[in-house]
Amino acid sequence: MKVAYWPGCVSRGFTPELHGSMAKIAPLLDIELIELDRACCTGAGVIAEHNQELADTLNARTFALAQQVQGAAMMMNICSTCQGAQSECQERLDANAEYREHVNSTLATEGLSYEKGLTNKNFLWLLVEEIGLESLSARVKRPLTNLRVGPFYGCYIVRPRERLGIDQEHPRDHYLDHVIEALGGTVIEYAGMRKCCGFPIITMNKEASLKQAGRHLGDAADAAADCLVTPCPLCHLNLDLQQPLAEKVVGRTLDMPVLHLPQLVGLALGLDPKELGLNRHVVRPTSVIDWSTSVVGAAA
Amino acid sequence: MAETHDRPPEQFTLRMRRYDPESGEAPYWDEHTIELEPHRSVLEGILQARDRFDGSIGIRCSCRQAICGSCGIRVNGEPSLACHTHLDAAKRGARNGVIEIEPMGNMPVLKDLIVDMDAVHWKKIQRVTPWLLAKQPVPEREYLVEKEAMVDVTQSMACIQCGACVSDCLAMEVDPGFIGPAALAKAYRFVGDPRDDQQFERLNDLAQDPQGIFDCTHCFKCVDACPKGVNPMGQIMRLRRIAIGDHHIVDQNNGERHEAAFTTLVKDNGLLWEAELLPRSYGGNSMFGKFAPAAGKELLSSLPAILKAVLRGKVTPMGALKPHKIPKADLKAVQAIYDKVEGREQRYELNLYISGEDEVAGEPIPVAAGAGADGGEQAAAPTSPEGSANQ
């Protein structure tokens, strides 16, 4: 399946292992990634806060570029925050023809135009809805047996439910659980799995931000999770990169590895941990992998 | 509708969180099976359990039609109005078919399902001066204002003070002093009112407060929690937009600097440059921001994380020092969008709560005549800080 692929900024900046691992697993899942390398940042909600029309126009430009990719079934992203920011802009653009025309008039100078109704799915949604859990299971070479995985969804991919198309037929707020199970792992439920990682206020209220990260990591540790998995690189920054600081705020040792979704999938598909960039995290996933043999769950 | 109301009574099991702080006993769970038609409300279910099985169950309610805001509780972990949640819907969302009922969060429990709204919710509402500080002189008759300006604040006026958003605010969970979604939505009701005389003062107060508008984590919990579509988080974002965009308030919480740095870095590079964003948020929005004392102090406190990231090769010095950029021609196009949109005399804002959706899915609507490059500007929904147009 061919997709217009939006990797986002952080997956190519502070979490390069995310973009890298997605590129590694795509061929194994028969996904052809046509990278939208001309597109700009979604604004992550911050540009919309600054000027709604600016965010809508920048994202409409990305949508228009995606619609130009010949033979692409849809647009795909690997960042929850991108998904949330894009969905918000798309909701306004799709709801009102006059507004869409207004935004398109700005894009016209570049010869671009956004047509209502783009399908834009996060990799998690695509994995479940397009590839399917059975097909995913069938591709597993190294099942995550005995691996206790705590899903960490992040806010932008679970709320608001209506905008994100979450309903009884599409329980997207449970897809991470389903994927972990399909890969042979054990889902660990804990209080913070759908709460905020704290990243958006890291520069405004660092203590509250790190308290959020620290609490969720602590809750997962108390539920005896071996690791967390997240579809959001910004959550990854607060949960992994900032974990040494979060430990100080909550006053306990956490030592909780946090994997990007493509990394977890890649492990199950038989890829080498280093190939997936698992050695690049601040918290080493030693509880996940026996580094000498690359056997998943050996430590469990 | 008639069909659903004709369905015979069914049994529903309610699992209720019980707690009486005055008893000295710990909280516990209680289960009762009630019998009602499936379209009836969870509130009716609780009241039946109280009438038939246990008269000591504490629940607050009044209007029973989602107007008074008294019966806020958590149903299956989600904040809801008990009178506004159907039993069959609650059962569908329940684990093992048992409907789980708890008091709201972030507020102390007085008894069972009744929380202390005075101690938290109403205190926070008072914090934002929830009344009009009228422009002087007060006219002899009524104030005359644009219709659009008042339509704009109707969304925040729809609040029924039920506390559902307060219950699940994730910022308040770690920082109880955060003014919070309900009170900040109420603040917008007056900030957006053209008759109010204190727009700058209100915004400056809420921006400078460390637990004010910049303490919101943007988690959308309040958006989903609200039974009335108030979109408290959206109102908070509008408060920020007016504070920064119109009043150029530079707050002590890095809110303005963060927004300016983010917006500028994307304009300069097309993509976000994280290594520059953090120091600029503390030190100021320029290449020199990172040399400001506030940025240095922050850098020092983050050293344990930074060193580990460098050690693991997650962050490379080259990667941090050099931004990722999109191709030149595209960057120019992005910058042209910035210049055009930011150069408008008025910001454009489309509030779907007010404008609604103009299209039924799959039914294209012809574009307004003359909506060309310039005509489009008149065709779209303009909004000044004081009002968004009613489409």
Side-chain angles (χ1 to χ4, degrees), chain A residues 151-173:
Chain A
F152 192 90
Y153 284 85
C155 302
Y156 283 78
I157 205 171
V158 290
R159 288 180 293 271
R161 293 172 63 85
E162 200 180 322
R163 178 187 293 157
L164 297 171
I166 300 172
D167 52 32
Q168 291 235 297
E169 285 76 50
H170 305 90
R172 290 173 162 178
D173 53 344

mmCIF file with all atom_site columns, all heavy atoms in Angstrom, chain A residues 151-173:
data_model
loop_
_atom_site.group_PDB
_atom_site.id
_atom_site.type_symbol
_atom_site.label_atom_id
_atom_site.label_alt_id
_atom_site.label_comp_id
_atom_site.label_asym_id
_atom_site.label_entity_id
_atom_site.label_seq_id
_atom_site.pdbx_PDB_ins_code
_atom_site.Cartn_x
_atom_site.Cartn_y
_atom_site.Cartn_z
_atom_site.occupancy
_atom_site.B_iso_or_equiv
_atom_site.pdbx_formal_charge
_atom_site.auth_seq_id
_atom_site.auth_comp_id
_atom_site.auth_asym_id
_atom_site.auth_atom_id
_atom_site.pdbx_PDB_model_num
ATOM 1   N N   . PRO A 1 151 ? 0.698   0.452  27.308 1.00 0.00 ? 151 PRO A N   1
ATOM 2   C CA  . PRO A 1 151 ? 0.451   1.402  26.224 1.00 0.00 ? 151 PRO A CA  1
ATOM 3   C C   . PRO A 1 151 ? 0.403   2.831  26.766 1.00 0.00 ? 151 PRO A C   1
ATOM 4   O O   . PRO A 1 151 ? -0.217  3.079  27.793 1.00 0.00 ? 151 PRO A O   1
ATOM 5   C CB  . PRO A 1 151 ? -0.917  0.977  25.680 1.00 0.00 ? 151 PRO A CB  1
ATOM 6   C CG  . PRO A 1 151 ? -1.560  0.187  26.768 1.00 0.00 ? 151 PRO A CG  1
ATOM 7   C CD  . PRO A 1 151 ? -0.492  -0.314 27.696 1.00 0.00 ? 151 PRO A CD  1
ATOM 8   N N   . PHE A 1 152 ? 1.056   3.751  26.083 1.00 0.00 ? 152 PHE A N   1
ATOM 9   C CA  . PHE A 1 152 ? 0.914   5.170  26.419 1.00 0.00 ? 152 PHE A CA  1
ATOM 10  C C   . PHE A 1 152 ? 0.437   5.894  25.170 1.00 0.00 ? 152 PHE A C   1
ATOM 11  O O   . PHE A 1 152 ? 1.189   6.092  24.231 1.00 0.00 ? 152 PHE A O   1
ATOM 12  C CB  . PHE A 1 152 ? 2.234   5.772  26.928 1.00 0.00 ? 152 PHE A CB  1
ATOM 13  C CG  . PHE A 1 152 ? 2.037   7.130  27.549 1.00 0.00 ? 152 PHE A CG  1
ATOM 14  C CD1 . PHE A 1 152 ? 1.771   7.248  28.906 1.00 0.00 ? 152 PHE A CD1 1
ATOM 15  C CD2 . PHE A 1 152 ? 2.053   8.281  26.784 1.00 0.00 ? 152 PHE A CD2 1
ATOM 16  C CE1 . PHE A 1 152 ? 1.528   8.497  29.483 1.00 0.00 ? 152 PHE A CE1 1
ATOM 17  C CE2 . PHE A 1 152 ? 1.807   9.530  27.347 1.00 0.00 ? 152 PHE A CE2 1
ATOM 18  C CZ  . PHE A 1 152 ? 1.555   9.637  28.702 1.00 0.00 ? 152 PHE A CZ  1
ATOM 19  N N   . TYR A 1 153 ? -0.834  6.273  25.164 1.00 0.00 ? 153 TYR A N   1
ATOM 20  C CA  . TYR A 1 153 ? -1.457  6.776  23.946 1.00 0.00 ? 153 TYR A CA  1
ATOM 21  C C   . TYR A 1 153 ? -1.082  8.214  23.614 1.00 0.00 ? 153 TYR A C   1
ATOM 22  O O   . TYR A 1 153 ? -0.899  8.569  22.458 1.00 0.00 ? 153 TYR A O   1
ATOM 23  C CB  . TYR A 1 153 ? -2.992  6.673  24.055 1.00 0.00 ? 153 TYR A CB  1
ATOM 24  C CG  . TYR A 1 153 ? -3.512  5.269  23.863 1.00 0.00 ? 153 TYR A CG  1
ATOM 25  C CD1 . TYR A 1 153 ? -3.569  4.376  24.932 1.00 0.00 ? 153 TYR A CD1 1
ATOM 26  C CD2 . TYR A 1 153 ? -3.918  4.822  22.615 1.00 0.00 ? 153 TYR A CD2 1
ATOM 27  C CE1 . TYR A 1 153 ? -4.036  3.084  24.755 1.00 0.00 ? 153 TYR A CE1 1
ATOM 28  C CE2 . TYR A 1 153 ? -4.388  3.533  22.425 1.00 0.00 ? 153 TYR A CE2 1
ATOM 29  C CZ  . TYR A 1 153 ? -4.447  2.666  23.497 1.00 0.00 ? 153 TYR A CZ  1
ATOM 30  O OH  . TYR A 1 153 ? -4.908  1.397  23.315 1.00 0.00 ? 153 TYR A OH  1
ATOM 31  N N   . GLY A 1 154 ? -0.974  9.057  24.637 1.00 0.00 ? 154 GLY A N   1
ATOM 32  C CA  . GLY A 1 154 ? -0.836  10.493 24.367 1.00 0.00 ? 154 GLY A CA  1
ATOM 33  C C   . GLY A 1 154 ? -2.207  11.084 24.097 1.00 0.00 ? 154 GLY A C   1
ATOM 34  O O   . GLY A 1 154 ? -3.117  10.390 23.656 1.00 0.00 ? 154 GLY A O   1
ATOM 35  N N   . CYS A 1 155 ? -2.344  12.390 24.344 1.00 0.00 ? 155 CYS A N   1
ATOM 36  C CA  . CYS A 1 155 ? -3.665  13.020 24.287 1.00 0.00 ? 155 CYS A CA  1
ATOM 37  C C   . CYS A 1 155 ? -4.205  13.188 22.870 1.00 0.00 ? 155 CYS A C   1
ATOM 38  O O   . CYS A 1 155 ? -5.371  12.936 22.603 1.00 0.00 ? 155 CYS A O   1
ATOM 39  C CB  . CYS A 1 155 ? -3.596  14.401 24.914 1.00 0.00 ? 155 CYS A CB  1
ATOM 40  S SG  . CYS A 1 155 ? -3.044  14.380 26.616 1.00 0.00 ? 155 CYS A SG  1
ATOM 41  N N   . TYR A 1 156 ? -3.328  13.648 21.986 1.00 0.00 ? 156 TYR A N   1
ATOM 42  C CA  . TYR A 1 156 ? -3.775  14.112 20.672 1.00 0.00 ? 156 TYR A CA  1
ATOM 43  C C   . TYR A 1 156 ? -4.384  13.021 19.803 1.00 0.00 ? 156 TYR A C   1
ATOM 44  O O   . TYR A 1 156 ? -5.014  13.299 18.800 1.00 0.00 ? 156 TYR A O   1
ATOM 45  C CB  . TYR A 1 156 ? -2.604  14.745 19.917 1.00 0.00 ? 156 TYR A CB  1
ATOM 46  C CG  . TYR A 1 156 ? -2.247  16.130 20.372 1.00 0.00 ? 156 TYR A CG  1
ATOM 47  C CD1 . TYR A 1 156 ? -1.524  16.346 21.537 1.00 0.00 ? 156 TYR A CD1 1
ATOM 48  C CD2 . TYR A 1 156 ? -2.624  17.242 19.626 1.00 0.00 ? 156 TYR A CD2 1
ATOM 49  C CE1 . TYR A 1 156 ? -1.184  17.623 21.948 1.00 0.00 ? 156 TYR A CE1 1
ATOM 50  C CE2 . TYR A 1 156 ? -2.294  18.518 20.026 1.00 0.00 ? 156 TYR A CE2 1
ATOM 51  C CZ  . TYR A 1 156 ? -1.571  18.702 21.186 1.00 0.00 ? 156 TYR A CZ  1
ATOM 52  O OH  . TYR A 1 156 ? -1.241  19.962 21.592 1.00 0.00 ? 156 TYR A OH  1
ATOM 53  N N   . ILE A 1 157 ? -4.178  11.766 20.171 1.00 0.00 ? 157 ILE A N   1
ATOM 54  C CA  . ILE A 1 157 ? -4.683  10.688 19.335 1.00 0.00 ? 157 ILE A CA  1
ATOM 55  C C   . ILE A 1 157 ? -5.919  10.024 19.961 1.00 0.00 ? 157 ILE A C   1
ATOM 56  O O   . ILE A 1 157 ? -6.531  9.141  19.361 1.00 0.00 ? 157 ILE A O   1
ATOM 57  C CB  . ILE A 1 157 ? -3.553  9.675  19.068 1.00 0.00 ? 157 ILE A CB  1
ATOM 58  C CG1 . ILE A 1 157 ? -3.788  8.907  17.771 1.00 0.00 ? 157 ILE A CG1 1
ATOM 59  C CG2 . ILE A 1 157 ? -3.359  8.741  20.223 1.00 0.00 ? 157 ILE A CG2 1
ATOM 60  C CD1 . ILE A 1 157 ? -2.618  8.063  17.357 1.00 0.00 ? 157 ILE A CD1 1
ATOM 61  N N   . VAL A 1 158 ? -6.317  10.466 21.150 1.00 0.00 ? 158 VAL A N   1
ATOM 62  C CA  . VAL A 1 158 ? -7.524  9.905  21.779 1.00 0.00 ? 158 VAL A CA  1
ATOM 63  C C   . VAL A 1 158 ? -8.613  10.939 22.086 1.00 0.00 ? 158 VAL A C   1
ATOM 64  O O   . VAL A 1 158 ? -9.745  10.573 22.393 1.00 0.00 ? 158 VAL A O   1
ATOM 65  C CB  . VAL A 1 158 ? -7.208  9.106  23.068 1.00 0.00 ? 158 VAL A CB  1
ATOM 66  C CG1 . VAL A 1 158 ? -6.482  7.819  22.745 1.00 0.00 ? 158 VAL A CG1 1
ATOM 67  C CG2 . VAL A 1 158 ? -6.403  9.917  24.064 1.00 0.00 ? 158 VAL A CG2 1
ATOM 68  N N   . ARG A 1 159 ? -8.286  12.216 22.014 1.00 0.00 ? 159 ARG A N   1
ATOM 69  C CA  . ARG A 1 159 ? -9.277  13.258 22.301 1.00 0.00 ? 159 ARG A CA  1
ATOM 70  C C   . ARG A 1 159 ? -9.123  14.423 21.331 1.00 0.00 ? 159 ARG A C   1
ATOM 71  O O   . ARG A 1 159 ? -7.992  14.729 20.949 1.00 0.00 ? 159 ARG A O   1
ATOM 72  C CB  . ARG A 1 159 ? -9.098  13.763 23.746 1.00 0.00 ? 159 ARG A CB  1
ATOM 73  C CG  . ARG A 1 159 ? -9.538  12.787 24.801 1.00 0.00 ? 159 ARG A CG  1
ATOM 74  C CD  . ARG A 1 159 ? -9.337  13.366 26.191 1.00 0.00 ? 159 ARG A CD  1
ATOM 75  N NE  . ARG A 1 159 ? -7.934  13.539 26.508 1.00 0.00 ? 159 ARG A NE  1
ATOM 76  C CZ  . ARG A 1 159 ? -7.158  12.615 27.083 1.00 0.00 ? 159 ARG A CZ  1
ATOM 77  N NH1 . ARG A 1 159 ? -7.622  11.454 27.427 1.00 0.00 ? 159 ARG A NH1 1
ATOM 78  N NH2 . ARG A 1 159 ? -5.887  12.864 27.329 1.00 0.00 ? 159 ARG A NH2 1
ATOM 79  N N   . PRO A 1 160 ? -10.162 15.140 20.969 1.00 0.00 ? 160 PRO A N   1
ATOM 80  C CA  . PRO A 1 160 ? -11.561 14.811 21.262 1.00 0.00 ? 160 PRO A CA  1
ATOM 81  C C   . PRO A 1 160 ? -12.030 13.646 20.383 1.00 0.00 ? 160 PRO A C   1
ATOM 82  O O   . PRO A 1 160 ? -11.656 13.540 19.215 1.00 0.00 ? 160 PRO A O   1
ATOM 83  C CB  . PRO A 1 160 ? -12.318 16.089 20.909 1.00 0.00 ? 160 PRO A CB  1
ATOM 84  C CG  . PRO A 1 160 ? -11.387 16.949 20.129 1.00 0.00 ? 160 PRO A CG  1
ATOM 85  C CD  . PRO A 1 160 ? -10.015 16.401 20.228 1.00 0.00 ? 160 PRO A CD  1
ATOM 86  N N   . ARG A 1 161 ? -12.857 12.804 20.974 1.00 0.00 ? 161 ARG A N   1
ATOM 87  C CA  . ARG A 1 161 ? -13.250 11.547 20.343 1.00 0.00 ? 161 ARG A CA  1
ATOM 88  C C   . ARG A 1 161 ? -13.946 11.751 18.996 1.00 0.00 ? 161 ARG A C   1
ATOM 89  O O   . ARG A 1 161 ? -13.668 11.054 18.035 1.00 0.00 ? 161 ARG A O   1
ATOM 90  C CB  . ARG A 1 161 ? -14.191 10.766 21.270 1.00 0.00 ? 161 ARG A CB  1
ATOM 91  C CG  . ARG A 1 161 ? -13.544 10.260 22.531 1.00 0.00 ? 161 ARG A CG  1
ATOM 92  C CD  . ARG A 1 161 ? -14.566 9.675  23.475 1.00 0.00 ? 161 ARG A CD  1
ATOM 93  N NE  . ARG A 1 161 ? -15.222 8.498  22.895 1.00 0.00 ? 161 ARG A NE  1
ATOM 94  C CZ  . ARG A 1 161 ? -14.729 7.279  22.968 1.00 0.00 ? 161 ARG A CZ  1
ATOM 95  N NH1 . ARG A 1 161 ? -13.594 7.066  23.593 1.00 0.00 ? 161 ARG A NH1 1
ATOM 96  N NH2 . ARG A 1 161 ? -15.381 6.268  22.439 1.00 0.00 ? 161 ARG A NH2 1
ATOM 97  N N   . GLU A 1 162 ? -14.854 12.719 18.971 1.00 0.00 ? 162 GLU A N   1
ATOM 98  C CA  . GLU A 1 162 ? -15.648 12.892 17.759 1.00 0.00 ? 162 GLU A CA  1
ATOM 99  C C   . GLU A 1 162 ? -14.769 13.324 16.578 1.00 0.00 ? 162 GLU A C   1
ATOM 100 O O   . GLU A 1 162 ? -14.861 12.778 15.491 1.00 0.00 ? 162 GLU A O   1
ATOM 101 C CB  . GLU A 1 162 ? -16.742 13.919 18.018 1.00 0.00 ? 162 GLU A CB  1
ATOM 102 C CG  . GLU A 1 162 ? -17.878 13.816 17.020 1.00 0.00 ? 162 GLU A CG  1
ATOM 103 C CD  . GLU A 1 162 ? -18.964 14.843 17.286 1.00 0.00 ? 162 GLU A CD  1
ATOM 104 O OE1 . GLU A 1 162 ? -19.256 15.113 18.459 1.00 0.00 ? 162 GLU A OE1 1
ATOM 105 O OE2 . GLU A 1 162 ? -19.498 15.388 16.307 1.00 0.00 ? 162 GLU A OE2 1
ATOM 106 N N   . ARG A 1 163 ? -13.899 14.296 16.837 1.00 0.00 ? 163 ARG A N   1
ATOM 107 C CA  . ARG A 1 163 ? -13.033 14.800 15.772 1.00 0.00 ? 163 ARG A CA  1
ATOM 108 C C   . ARG A 1 163 ? -12.133 13.683 15.240 1.00 0.00 ? 163 ARG A C   1
ATOM 109 O O   . ARG A 1 163 ? -11.813 13.634 14.061 1.00 0.00 ? 163 ARG A O   1
ATOM 110 C CB  . ARG A 1 163 ? -12.190 15.947 16.314 1.00 0.00 ? 163 ARG A CB  1
ATOM 111 C CG  . ARG A 1 163 ? -11.213 16.509 15.296 1.00 0.00 ? 163 ARG A CG  1
ATOM 112 C CD  . ARG A 1 163 ? -10.290 17.534 15.919 1.00 0.00 ? 163 ARG A CD  1
ATOM 113 N NE  . ARG A 1 163 ? -10.998 18.729 16.328 1.00 0.00 ? 163 ARG A NE  1
ATOM 114 C CZ  . ARG A 1 163 ? -10.556 19.574 17.275 1.00 0.00 ? 163 ARG A CZ  1
ATOM 115 N NH1 . ARG A 1 163 ? -9.432  19.318 17.905 1.00 0.00 ? 163 ARG A NH1 1
ATOM 116 N NH2 . ARG A 1 163 ? -11.243 20.642 17.581 1.00 0.00 ? 163 ARG A NH2 1
ATOM 117 N N   . LEU A 1 164 ? -11.693 12.804 16.134 1.00 0.00 ? 164 LEU A N   1
ATOM 118 C CA  . LEU A 1 164 ? -10.748 11.754 15.748 1.00 0.00 ? 164 LEU A CA  1
ATOM 119 C C   . LEU A 1 164 ? -11.442 10.486 15.257 1.00 0.00 ? 164 LEU A C   1
ATOM 120 O O   . LEU A 1 164 ? -10.790 9.476  15.007 1.00 0.00 ? 164 LEU A O   1
ATOM 121 C CB  . LEU A 1 164 ? -9.822  11.428 16.923 1.00 0.00 ? 164 LEU A CB  1
ATOM 122 C CG  . LEU A 1 164 ? -8.927  12.591 17.377 1.00 0.00 ? 164 LEU A CG  1
ATOM 123 C CD1 . LEU A 1 164 ? -8.204  12.243 18.674 1.00 0.00 ? 164 LEU A CD1 1
ATOM 124 C CD2 . LEU A 1 164 ? -7.909  12.949 16.309 1.00 0.00 ? 164 LEU A CD2 1
ATOM 125 N N   . GLY A 1 165 ? -12.753 10.537 15.165 1.00 0.00 ? 165 GLY A N   1
ATOM 126 C CA  . GLY A 1 165 ? -13.479 9.391  14.629 1.00 0.00 ? 165 GLY A CA  1
ATOM 127 C C   . GLY A 1 165 ? -13.428 8.159  15.516 1.00 0.00 ? 165 GLY A C   1
ATOM 128 O O   . GLY A 1 165 ? -13.380 7.035  15.025 1.00 0.00 ? 165 GLY A O   1
ATOM 129 N N   . ILE A 1 166 ? -13.449 8.369  16.823 1.00 0.00 ? 166 ILE A N   1
ATOM 130 C CA  . ILE A 1 166 ? -13.429 7.234  17.752 1.00 0.00 ? 166 ILE A CA  1
ATOM 131 C C   . ILE A 1 166 ? -14.868 6.886  18.124 1.00 0.00 ? 166 ILE A C   1
ATOM 132 O O   . ILE A 1 166 ? -15.607 7.738  18.622 1.00 0.00 ? 166 ILE A O   1
ATOM 133 C CB  . ILE A 1 166 ? -12.624 7.572  19.018 1.00 0.00 ? 166 ILE A CB  1
ATOM 134 C CG1 . ILE A 1 166 ? -11.186 7.923  18.627 1.00 0.00 ? 166 ILE A CG1 1
ATOM 135 C CG2 . ILE A 1 166 ? -12.646 6.398  20.003 1.00 0.00 ? 166 ILE A CG2 1
ATOM 136 C CD1 . ILE A 1 166 ? -10.350 8.466  19.760 1.00 0.00 ? 166 ILE A CD1 1
ATOM 137 N N   . ASP A 1 167 ? -15.283 5.673  17.826 1.00 0.00 ? 167 ASP A N   1
ATOM 138 C CA  . ASP A 1 167 ? -16.623 5.218  18.198 1.00 0.00 ? 167 ASP A CA  1
ATOM 139 C C   . ASP A 1 167 ? -16.587 3.707  18.387 1.00 0.00 ? 167 ASP A C   1
ATOM 140 O O   . ASP A 1 167 ? -15.519 3.092  18.399 1.00 0.00 ? 167 ASP A O   1
ATOM 141 C CB  . ASP A 1 167 ? -17.652 5.645  17.138 1.00 0.00 ? 167 ASP A CB  1
ATOM 142 C CG  . ASP A 1 167 ? -17.241 5.230  15.733 1.00 0.00 ? 167 ASP A CG  1
ATOM 143 O OD1 . ASP A 1 167 ? -16.583 4.170  15.603 1.00 0.00 ? 167 ASP A OD1 1
ATOM 144 O OD2 . ASP A 1 167 ? -17.559 5.947  14.766 1.00 0.00 ? 167 ASP A OD2 1
ATOM 145 N N   . GLN A 1 168 ? -17.784 3.132  18.530 1.00 0.00 ? 168 GLN A N   1
ATOM 146 C CA  . GLN A 1 168 ? -17.856 1.687  18.809 1.00 0.00 ? 168 GLN A CA  1
ATOM 147 C C   . GLN A 1 168 ? -17.221 0.857  17.691 1.00 0.00 ? 168 GLN A C   1
ATOM 148 O O   . GLN A 1 168 ? -16.575 -0.142 17.959 1.00 0.00 ? 168 GLN A O   1
ATOM 149 C CB  . GLN A 1 168 ? -19.314 1.300  18.975 1.00 0.00 ? 168 GLN A CB  1
ATOM 150 C CG  . GLN A 1 168 ? -19.907 1.879  20.244 1.00 0.00 ? 168 GLN A CG  1
ATOM 151 C CD  . GLN A 1 168 ? -20.509 0.806  21.108 1.00 0.00 ? 168 GLN A CD  1
ATOM 152 O OE1 . GLN A 1 168 ? -21.455 0.146  20.697 1.00 0.00 ? 168 GLN A OE1 1
ATOM 153 N NE2 . GLN A 1 168 ? -19.977 0.603  22.292 1.00 0.00 ? 168 GLN A NE2 1
ATOM 154 N N   . GLU A 1 169 ? -17.414 1.296  16.453 1.00 0.00 ? 169 GLU A N   1
ATOM 155 C CA  . GLU A 1 169 ? -16.848 0.540  15.326 1.00 0.00 ? 169 GLU A CA  1
ATOM 156 C C   . GLU A 1 169 ? -15.351 0.797  15.193 1.00 0.00 ? 169 GLU A C   1
ATOM 157 O O   . GLU A 1 169 ? -14.629 -0.014 14.635 1.00 0.00 ? 169 GLU A O   1
ATOM 158 C CB  . GLU A 1 169 ? -17.534 0.925  14.004 1.00 0.00 ? 169 GLU A CB  1
ATOM 159 C CG  . GLU A 1 169 ? -18.932 0.360  13.828 1.00 0.00 ? 169 GLU A CG  1
ATOM 160 C CD  . GLU A 1 169 ? -19.962 1.120  14.660 1.00 0.00 ? 169 GLU A CD  1
ATOM 161 O OE1 . GLU A 1 169 ? -19.971 2.362  14.576 1.00 0.00 ? 169 GLU A OE1 1
ATOM 162 O OE2 . GLU A 1 169 ? -20.726 0.481  15.413 1.00 0.00 ? 169 GLU A OE2 1
ATOM 163 N N   . HIS A 1 170 ? -14.904 1.957  15.641 1.00 0.00 ? 170 HIS A N   1
ATOM 164 C CA  . HIS A 1 170 ? -13.495 2.321  15.534 1.00 0.00 ? 170 HIS A CA  1
ATOM 165 C C   . HIS A 1 170 ? -12.955 2.671  16.919 1.00 0.00 ? 170 HIS A C   1
ATOM 166 O O   . HIS A 1 170 ? -12.746 3.843  17.221 1.00 0.00 ? 170 HIS A O   1
ATOM 167 C CB  . HIS A 1 170 ? -13.300 3.518  14.595 1.00 0.00 ? 170 HIS A CB  1
ATOM 168 C CG  . HIS A 1 170 ? -13.880 3.310  13.243 1.00 0.00 ? 170 HIS A CG  1
ATOM 169 N ND1 . HIS A 1 170 ? -15.173 3.655  12.929 1.00 0.00 ? 170 HIS A ND1 1
ATOM 170 C CD2 . HIS A 1 170 ? -13.353 2.764  12.121 1.00 0.00 ? 170 HIS A CD2 1
ATOM 171 C CE1 . HIS A 1 170 ? -15.415 3.336  11.668 1.00 0.00 ? 170 HIS A CE1 1
ATOM 172 N NE2 . HIS A 1 170 ? -14.329 2.791  11.157 1.00 0.00 ? 170 HIS A NE2 1
ATOM 173 N N   . PRO A 1 171 ? -12.719 1.648  17.764 1.00 0.00 ? 171 PRO A N   1
ATOM 174 C CA  . PRO A 1 171 ? -12.216 1.942  19.114 1.00 0.00 ? 171 PRO A CA  1
ATOM 175 C C   . PRO A 1 171 ? -10.723 2.287  19.078 1.00 0.00 ? 171 PRO A C   1
ATOM 176 O O   . PRO A 1 171 ? -9.878  1.574  19.606 1.00 0.00 ? 171 PRO A O   1
ATOM 177 C CB  . PRO A 1 171 ? -12.484 0.636  19.878 1.00 0.00 ? 171 PRO A CB  1
ATOM 178 C CG  . PRO A 1 171 ? -12.485 -0.428 18.822 1.00 0.00 ? 171 PRO A CG  1
ATOM 179 C CD  . PRO A 1 171 ? -12.908 0.203  17.531 1.00 0.00 ? 171 PRO A CD  1
ATOM 180 N N   . ARG A 1 172 ? -10.431 3.421  18.404 1.00 0.00 ? 172 ARG A N   1
ATOM 181 C CA  . ARG A 1 172 ? -9.029  3.798  18.191 1.00 0.00 ? 172 ARG A CA  1
ATOM 182 C C   . ARG A 1 172 ? -8.290  4.053  19.500 1.00 0.00 ? 172 ARG A C   1
ATOM 183 O O   . ARG A 1 172 ? -7.069  4.012  19.535 1.00 0.00 ? 172 ARG A O   1
ATOM 184 C CB  . ARG A 1 172 ? -8.988  5.048  17.299 1.00 0.00 ? 172 ARG A CB  1
ATOM 185 C CG  . ARG A 1 172 ? -9.417  4.754  15.873 1.00 0.00 ? 172 ARG A CG  1
ATOM 186 C CD  . ARG A 1 172 ? -9.549  6.005  15.043 1.00 0.00 ? 172 ARG A CD  1
ATOM 187 N NE  . ARG A 1 172 ? -9.551  5.672  13.619 1.00 0.00 ? 172 ARG A NE  1
ATOM 188 C CZ  . ARG A 1 172 ? -9.695  6.565  12.648 1.00 0.00 ? 172 ARG A CZ  1
ATOM 189 N NH1 . ARG A 1 172 ? -9.854  7.830  12.933 1.00 0.00 ? 172 ARG A NH1 1
ATOM 190 N NH2 . ARG A 1 172 ? -9.670  6.186  11.396 1.00 0.00 ? 172 ARG A NH2 1
ATOM 191 N N   . ASP A 1 173 ? -9.075  4.354  20.558 1.00 0.00 ? 173 ASP A N   1
ATOM 192 C CA  . ASP A 1 173 ? -8.440  4.574  21.855 1.00 0.00 ? 173 ASP A CA  1
ATOM 193 C C   . ASP A 1 173 ? -8.072  3.253  22.546 1.00 0.00 ? 173 ASP A C   1
ATOM 194 O O   . ASP A 1 173 ? -7.652  3.250  23.701 1.00 0.00 ? 173 ASP A O   1
ATOM 195 C CB  . ASP A 1 173 ? -9.332  5.440  22.751 1.00 0.00 ? 173 ASP A CB  1
ATOM 196 C CG  . ASP A 1 173 ? -10.744 4.882  22.881 1.00 0.00 ? 173 ASP A CG  1
ATOM 197 O OD1 . ASP A 1 173 ? -11.128 4.028  22.059 1.00 0.00 ? 173 ASP A OD1 1
ATOM 198 O OD2 . ASP A 1 173 ? -11.472 5.308  23.804 1.00 0.00 ? 173 ASP A OD2 1
#
